[in-house]
Amino acid sequence: MQELIDRIRSWEAKSQVLEPNQDLRNKELTSVSNYANTFLNALPETKTFEFSEEMSDRFHITGQPHSIVEILDIYKREVAEKGINAASGGHLGYIPGGGIFASALGDFLADVTNEYAGIFYASPGAVAVETALIDWIKSLFSYPSDAVGNLASGGSIANLIALAAARDKYQIKGEKVEKSVVYLSAQTHHCVTKALRIIGLEDVVLRTLPIDDHSRIQIEALSGAIAKDRSLGLNPFLVIGSAGTTDTGAVDPLFEIGTICKEENLWFHVDAAYGGFFILAESVRHLFRGIELSDSLVVDPHKGLFLPYGIGAVIVKDREAVFHSNRAGADYMQDAYREDLPVNPSDLGPELTKHFRGMRMWLPLQLYGTEPFAACLEEKLDLTRYIRLKLADLGFNLGPEPDLSVTYFWMDRGDQSDSFNRHLLKLIHEEGSAYFSSTLIEGKFVIRSAILSFRTRIISVDKAIELISRCLDKTQEHFEKGS
Ligand SMILES: Cc1ncc(COP(=O)(O)O)c(C=O)c1O
């Protein structure tokens, strides 16, 4: 026995380092906080993009301890200074988010107290916080109080949860899969078809509805397509609308789609991952009319609420459908599962052990209130109008006026347009003081501008325009020389 106790004590002594005392904690915290301040203070002058294919060998797990100073140096040089600087206001590519500082404090608290946010019994407080956030989202989108929701890791998983619920509500399985029809548009985010594959619906019929000049679903096509599919003996069951398309910033005619879905008894899912929080902006709120008719909806706080990556929300009206996909029990958890307790997040998504990600959203909302978020979103809409005017001044062709804050542009050079714009973007990426991405619109190469970072201010847009202008001159020279 004594031998066993001595061994245990020796293990304890060897692993004591895992529990630093207050002085050590403060020291490490100060180092990290100093680095964070240096990083944030330098952001306005830091490059937005610096690409290197090289994978550092400094990350190797050597099994030996390293000082926090050394680790922070690796982080600075090999992580934070490489690739797209997603914290930068110059990030105008993909869908930027930003990462407000208060969220980091929320994550810090959630990690220190290590809340288990999957089950009410384990952390009633954490689950209550997440429930309050879901209730707020439900109220924003006029969802009924008995709808359920979950804070997932991002829009892709949030969409997956909603689509699995639609599948289970309509019992799309077995031979029914091949006869079932999903309606979407060419602008539907690819995570939707990916999710359909993951949930076993790879073989459903995908009907791509035509879109108008503004990339919105042409509503007249929907009823006809449903009728035609029914006449072919198929089983229409799901329509996907987007409230903010990733390529074009468009909001589909939600009210009209929702009305048809009600008449036709179809599940209406809205992917508002990118655009949903613009409902806070009064100037575009009308675009979301009818979103309340949907059966499920996804909105990403790590996009439109400027939170750091790692949080996407889903709300679903039919709780039984969500339970069907996700509810599961285990004998070893019998103490935690009690019918009389509120709903467990683990019954509303694939995760059991769940990071308390609600804290990164709840803390900033409580600290600042919602007004600054709404103002920041209005600012992004105006900055989108501003950048379009500036781009037009430089001679660019512009995509149609977007509903939200993603737009695209290209220089018309006839047959050489694609290679001209590709070259231009290459130079923009090489210089890296701002970052734009590209896409294909009807097969044509265009440059995308996505303004959503809370740090994108008028000064960031002016800097980005100067960058484009410089690179445009060089591209022109390059093509003149070549011809
Ligand atoms: C409209 C839309 N839906 C879904 C997603 C996927 O979200 P996530 O990247 O958080 O998984 C995105 C990402 O940009 C999006 O823009």
Side-chain angles (χ1 to χ4, degrees), residues 94-95 153-157 159 187-192 242-246 271-275 298 300 302-303 311-312:
Y94 307 107
I95 302 289
S153 57
S156 299
I157 301 298
N159 272 298
Q187 290 298 331
T188 302
H189 193 272
H190 64 280
C191 76
V192 166
S242 302
T245 54
T246 315
D271 180 3
Y274 147 57
V298 162
D300 273 3
H302 72 187
K303 297 185 173 75
I311 181 166

Side-chain angles (χ1 to χ4, degrees), residues 115-129 131 333 335-338 340-347 352:
E115 301 304 325
Y116 188 99
I119 293 187
F120 181 84
Y121 176 84
S123 184
V127 174
V129 165
T131 304
M333 297 196 64
D335 311 320
Y337 284 128
R338 281 188 12 209
D340 57 322
L341 296 180
V343 174
N344 293 319
S346 63
D347 290 339
L352 172 59

Side-chain angles (χ1 to χ4, degrees), residues 358-380:
M359 197 55 196
R360 51 167 46 201
M361 177 172 170
W362 185 79
L363 192 139
L365 284 173
Q366 295 294 75
L367 201 56
Y368 306 132
T370 52
E371 178 116 21
F373 292 91
C376 207
L377 288 161
E378 292 282 11
E379 181 198 29
K380 304 311 152 211

